[in-house]
Amino acid sequence: MKCALITGGSRGIGRAVCVRLAEQGYHILINYKGNTAAAEETLEAVRQQGTDGTLLKFDVGNETEVNEVLGAWIDANKDKQIEVLVNNAGIREDMLLFQMSTEKWKSVLDASLDGFFYVTKLVLTGMLMKRYGRIVNMVSLSGLKGTPGQVNYSAAKAGLIGATKALAQEVAKRNVTVNAVAPGFIRTDMTEGLPEKELSAMVPMQRFGTAEEVAEAVAFLSSKGASYITGEVLNINGGLYS
Ligand code: NAP
């Protein structure tokens, strides 16, 4: 059985990616941190595509939890291959740096950057052994240009861009590609409460993007057809930055 693991698959962009990869016939491993009701809704949407999925509840930023839940699943499912890994889980805790607590700094880096490390390390071994894999990391416009009020988030995403490019070179020979997608403003729970009308005026396309528009790019980079693209960062931002 060919599987795709999407971290943060219960809501927003992650959910749209789960549904899009389900359309391609993958068994979807839906990771989430705490919102079981939302994760079950994603699972139902995956099933509507004619495939199935498994819920894996763990905090990507907690190495013990990652090893206990994901590590145990991998050990118990040696006949199944995780072909696609989408490191999508992430949070924002916006605040000016001079006011930022250590906890707010660490929690954002834990989810995006440490989470990438813990999860990828576990999944990569199988990909290297099978000599095939697709890894897509969810970064952000903030990781490319830096956003004031988001020093923690910008650092986490910029770090993930560096990790994407470095890992791509480490594993290229084994047919494992590692890319990133960098959304601008996408309408999800994460951007709820932002002044959408005001911010849309800054976007050449004059609107926020949808989770489905991001999922389409992830599906391409996860496909067999994207075989000679690695270490790349694809902007999905309506022309806001490229
Ligand atoms: P969202 O709607 O807030 O959903 C976040 C998802 O991540 C949820 O499924 C949540 O699980 C999960 N999650 C959060 N922390 C986690 C952790 N420590 N361990 C496991 N799962 C965790 O966010 P979104 O807008 O879809 O964002 C998805 C990704 O895109 C993030 O990496 C974000 O930085 C990036 N991004 C978003 C935008 C945007 O405009 N929305 C722009 C650029 C980049 P629960 O449901 O269990 O809480």
Side-chain angles (χ1 to χ4, degrees), residues 7-15 31-36 38-39 56-62 65 87-92 107 110-112 138-142 153 157 160 181-191 194 208-209 211 214 236:
T7 68
S10 50
R11 291 183 285 124
I13 294 170
R15 175 184 289 176
N31 158 255
Y32 66 105
K33 185 176 178 188
N35 195 336
T36 303
L56 293 177
K57 179 173 183 268
F58 59 86
D59 176 350
V60 294
N62 180 324
E65 274 188 36
N87 286 302
N88 164 77
I91 56 166
R92 67 181 181 92
S107 62
D110 282 353
S112 274
M138 196 59 64
V139 297
S140 167
L141 175 60
S142 299
Y153 187 81
K157 297 302 192 183
L160 191 48
V181 295
F185 292 115
I186 308 299
R187 196 179 304 118
T188 66
D189 291 349
M190 188 178 270
T191 49
L194 293 183
F208 277 21
V214 180
I236 308 166

Side-chain angles (χ1 to χ4, degrees), residues 13 15-21 138 210-220 222 236:
I13 294 170
R15 175 184 289 176
V17 171
C18 289
V19 173
R20 187 64 184 77
L21 295 181
M138 196 59 64
T210 66
E212 288 71 24
E213 287 172 314
V214 180
E216 202 55 42
V218 174
F220 168 63
S222 306
I236 308 166

